Amino acid sequence: MGGEENTMEFQHGNENIMTSEMDISSVSNMAKSSSEVPNHHHFLGSSAWDNPLISLSQAHTFGGSSMVSHNDFANANSTYNPLVLENQGMSSTSHLVQYSNLGGMIHKIPSYGSGSFSEMVGSFGQHGSGGDHVANTSGYPIPPQHYNHIKDAGNQRGHFNGEQSQVEDSVHEDGGTGSAPGSGNRRKRGIDQNSTLSPNKNAEGDGVKDSPRKISDGSKEAEKKPKVEQSGKQTKDNSPSGDASKDNFIHVRARRGQATNSHSLAERVRREKISERMRLLQELVPGCNKITGKAVMLDEIINYVQSLQQQVEFLSMKLATVNPELNFDVERLLSKDSRIGLGIGGFVPGMSSSHPFPSASFQGNMSGLPSSSTQFPPLPQNALDHDFQNFYGMGYDSNTALDNLGPNGRLKPEL
Amino acid sequence: MEAQQQNKRRRVYSMEPNKIVQSIFARNYLSYLVSALMKIKENTSSSKDHNDICKNVKYEVEMAMVLSAQGFAWSNGLKVKLQREHINNVATTEGDNNLGMEKDSVREDKEDEEKMKNLISLIPGGEEICDEQVVNELESYIKCLQMQVNVLQCLIAETC
């Protein structure tokens, strides 16, 4: 994925892009709980998105776009509001450092590079329902101190570099206070001011659940894997004490009739987080769009993953059988990889012009590639064919290309 | 070789970077797998046990997956598992995961927990993935599985 890394090059000097693209005033407004969602949707969808991908690492754009997405989320589930607001505050730094994952908002940026962000935003967009303001609609009151904090942060955005230190202080706060009330299994991730979200480092270095994650330099900030964990959770009893704007705790108010034990609250928040993300998975698994219900959804996903794994295994076995007859043109295959990778029209039978024996018989779209650099000596295939044919009564494959095998006629009847 | 130059993919910033990533995955996967299969083929003699070939191919298939999708926790887990198996010469099949789903009638949440655990166990190295990452990892894993299946199908279609 080297290519992607280039796009995420951290660029300091792109503030022009920033300001031209982002409506600062509307950003501040959002912090004050007025919504400009439609504009931001447009912003995201604009052709200038290429640049934002590059400058995504800059907090400004990222703050802007993350605000949009968060805003949408805010409509759907105000549990995330504290995180939304917090992120807005923090992301006003020019180093997009910390991504304090307070309300459990995972910025879903799998290391698919910059594109993941647009995907994330896109999926967030689905949740947004007409741009209601952050003042929540589903019963989770936002503690006022968060508003204040965000308002401050929002105002800061007008001066990107000037207020940087202040916001960064709040970011640092996170690291300091985070571990104290740490609840359950959440650990504060390490916070560095220069953060990369190189998925390599994260995945390989920190495979363990509780190990703190270092966020190294900011060349890939848009690839923010859900870095940091929430610093802690507090019940509503503690919320007044969090008046200081530096407080980064999640404030969860227990709903009526529910336990207020901090552990169960944490559990509940965690569950809701997961279920929220399950919805994102729905798009992946075919045919899950109509399923509502976590259990059914989970079942579907499990079945799907299992079937995919079985399919891989089955295909690899099949590949083993046809392995001796490998004579394909690597060039040709690679040129088609865009289609292959996207699974469009699964079978792309082609001609292997390089090799005598099946070449004439393939139907195909020979795109004029020269015959390959890979010429493979034909193995004594006859004996092998027979064995394999008998071993795997190839009933499952009805590919018409197979029918066209000329000289290797033995293959035909069994197919 | 000029064709190779022409086909070389330039760095492109796209409106849909995901497509590029997927293409790159497919390309990496394919090139690795093809060369590995070539080696297997050349090393293969007709007297070799077909099971061995199967194991090798399976190994290469999964290794290609690991190498094409670096940076995910599951790809790491897969790599570890492959190394372990390779050393022990044990070819386990992923599809045989025993998902003993207990029907826990006590609370729905517990059932969900069980299912989550099962799901996580499906992902290679899944147990080590922290909860926050699970969905991300799951998503990327599913995508890569899909692509892998497609690549394999195309490969087979090409060579048959």
Side-chain angles (χ1 to χ4, degrees):
Chain A
M1 311 249 176
E4 273 56 49
E5 299 176 10
N6 289 336
T7 67
M8 304 320 299
E9 196 64 24
F10 183 78
Q11 299 183 14
H12 280 280
N14 275 349
E15 296 198 356
N16 294 334
I17 299 176
M18 293 302 320
T19 52
S20 64
E21 286 165 351
M22 192 164 78
D23 185 6
I24 305 300
S25 59
S26 66
V27 164
S28 321
N29 285 339
M30 210 186 287
K32 295 167 193 164
S33 83
S34 68
S35 153
E36 309 235 327
V37 172
N39 290 341
H40 286 281
H41 273 299
H42 172 69
F43 160 66
L44 288 173
S46 73
S47 59
W49 189 235
D50 281 342
N51 289 333
L53 284 181
I54 299 173
S55 57
L56 249 180
S57 51
Q58 282 200 342
H60 320 301
T61 311
F62 197 71
S65 23
S66 67
M67 270 190 306
V68 177
S69 53
H70 293 326
N71 200 31
D72 290 339
F73 249 110
N75 305 329
N77 183 356
S78 60
T79 308
Y80 294 97
N81 280 337
L83 177 63
V84 173
L85 303 179
E86 284 303 326
N87 275 334
Q88 290 175 357
M90 285 185 296
S91 57
S92 71
T93 64
S94 62
H95 308 277
L96 181 59
V97 185
Q98 155 138 26
Y99 218 53
S100 135
N101 199 354
L102 300 180
M105 165 81 77
I106 299 266
H107 291 278
K108 179 174 74 78
I109 309 190
S111 48
Y112 277 143
S114 52
S116 61
F117 192 69
S118 51
E119 182 188 25
M120 168 177 88
V121 171
S123 60
F124 282 3
Q126 297 172 11
H127 296 289
S129 55
D132 285 331
H133 44 75
V134 173
N136 63 84
T137 54
S138 39
Y140 270 42
I142 300 173
Q145 61 269 22
H146 281 285
Y147 268 114
N148 293 333
H149 174 65
I150 295 314
K151 213 191 298 185
D152 293 338
N155 289 335
Q156 288 174 15
R157 276 190 211 90
H159 327 278
F160 293 109
N161 291 325
E163 311 297 332
Q164 185 173 342
S165 56
Q166 177 177 350
V167 180
E168 286 180 1
D169 285 345
S170 68
V171 171
H172 280 297
E173 275 291 322
D174 220 11
T177 59
S179 44
S183 77
N185 43 9
R186 298 288 179 270
R187 289 290 168 262
K188 201 68 194 145
R189 305 280 168 90
I191 303 163
D192 291 341
Q193 282 302 316
N194 300 322
S195 58
T196 266
L197 310 172
S198 158
N200 287 330
K201 293 176 189 163
N202 293 333
E204 294 173 6
D206 305 326
V208 183
K209 186 192 274 204
D210 285 336
S211 64
R213 292 188 177 213
K214 285 297 176 187
I215 309 176
S216 45
D217 190 23
S219 60
K220 293 192 202 139
E221 296 184 349
E223 284 187 50
K224 285 231 174 242
K225 278 204 152 186
K227 266 322 148 199
V228 190
E229 290 317 279
Q230 56 264 18
S231 42
K233 296 196 175 104
Q234 290 179 340
T235 62
K236 61 179 172 178
D237 302 330
N238 293 334
S239 49
S241 65
D243 249 347
S245 63
K246 311 290 169 74
D247 186 9
N248 288 327
F249 293 111
I250 297 174
H251 294 267
V252 177
R253 180 161 291 181
R255 285 188 281 232
R256 183 190 173 88
Q258 291 186 337
T260 55
N261 185 15
S262 67
H263 287 297
S264 54
L265 272 179
E267 267 304 304
R268 185 155 52 85
V269 170
R270 186 179 143 267
R271 279 198 302 267
E272 285 168 358
K273 246 183 323 183
I274 290 186
S275 64
E276 195 61 42
R277 278 174 253 137
M278 282 300 171
R279 287 184 224 166
L280 301 174
L281 277 181
Q282 269 189 330
E283 305 156 22
L284 264 189
V285 180
C288 272
N289 297 329
K290 295 147 195 155
I291 296 182
T292 54
K294 190 176 166 190
V296 184
M297 185 63 211
L298 281 177
D299 278 340
E300 273 300 313
I301 297 179
I302 289 175
N303 287 339
Y304 186 62
V305 170
Q306 269 185 314
S307 69
L308 278 181
Q309 286 172 343
Q310 283 168 354
Q311 220 175 349
V312 166
E313 181 163 335
F314 167 79
L315 284 174
S316 72
M317 278 208 322
K318 191 166 159 193
L319 197 55
T321 73
V322 302
N323 197 22
E325 297 142 26
L326 282 181
N327 47 28
F328 41 82
D329 184 344
V330 178
E331 282 298 321
R332 173 175 43 83
L333 283 178
L334 288 180
S335 73
K336 294 196 172 93
D337 60 10
S338 61
R339 296 189 69 205
I340 291 176
L342 300 175
I344 301 173
F347 288 86
V348 186
M351 257 195 314
S352 66
S353 58
S354 58
H355 201 277
F357 92 87
S359 60
S361 48
F362 273 94
Q363 49 178 316
N365 35 359
M366 198 53 195
S367 50
L369 284 176
S371 71
S372 76
S373 49
T374 55
Q375 297 270 352
F376 309 118
L379 287 181
Q381 289 148 351
N382 300 336
L384 289 173
D385 289 340
H386 241 313
D387 291 341
F388 294 153
Q389 290 306 314
N390 297 334
F391 193 84
Y392 288 101
M394 309 251 262
Y396 39 69
D397 196 343
S398 60
N399 192 0
T400 52
L402 290 169
D403 296 341
N404 292 338
L405 284 170
N408 216 1
R410 239 178 254 93
L411 282 177
K412 272 195 275 188
E414 280 94 342
L415 298 174
Chain B
M1 301 309 150
E2 291 154 63
Q4 260 178 346
Q5 301 295 324
Q6 292 163 10
N7 289 337
K8 197 172 242 178
R9 190 178 297 274
R10 289 189 300 270
R11 298 268 183 251
V12 173
Y13 298 110
S14 151
M15 290 290 292
E16 297 177 324
N18 269 340
K19 294 265 168 74
I20 284 195
V21 174
Q22 290 170 1
S23 308
I24 287 181
F25 173 90
R27 173 178 275 254
N28 290 342
Y29 188 91
L30 204 50
S31 41
Y32 180 82
L33 191 58
V34 163
S35 51
L37 288 177
M38 286 305 130
K39 276 192 223 141
I40 292 182
K41 190 175 85 158
E42 284 158 16
N43 293 339
T44 297
S45 58
S46 51
S47 59
K48 196 158 189 186
D49 186 10
H50 180 70
N51 278 337
D52 272 349
I53 301 178
C54 263
K55 277 185 211 162
N56 283 339
V57 169
K58 222 178 281 186
Y59 175 80
E60 294 299 342
V61 162
E62 305 201 340
M63 204 55 187
M65 178 83 146
V66 169
L67 294 176
S68 310
Q70 307 263 7
F72 294 114
W74 57 260
S75 84
N76 226 20
L78 192 53
K79 184 159 72 172
V80 167
K81 178 181 133 191
L82 281 183
Q83 284 165 352
R84 218 186 319 136
E85 288 174 3
H86 200 59
I87 292 174
N88 298 337
N89 269 338
V90 172
T92 62
T93 58
E94 292 183 49
D96 288 353
N97 269 343
N98 186 16
L99 299 188
M101 294 213 205
E102 317 162 11
K103 273 302 176 184
D104 204 333
S105 59
V106 177
R107 281 177 55 183
E108 198 187 67
D109 294 329
K110 265 199 181 169
E111 284 182 18
D112 281 349
E113 286 289 327
E114 282 295 321
K115 291 183 184 164
M116 272 307 285
K117 276 189 215 151
N118 287 331
L119 189 53
I120 289 173
S121 70
L122 276 182
I123 306 176
E127 288 82 7
E128 296 174 353
I129 304 177
C130 83
D131 291 339
E132 305 293 329
Q133 301 274 11
V134 159
V135 177
N136 288 346
E137 296 287 331
L138 195 55
E139 182 193 357
S140 64
Y141 184 60
I142 289 180
K143 274 202 191 135
C144 287
L145 272 182
Q146 288 169 336
M147 285 194 281
Q148 187 182 31
V149 165
N150 275 312
V151 168
L152 287 176
Q153 282 174 339
C154 289
L155 252 189
I156 292 180
E158 296 278 354
T159 64
C160 288

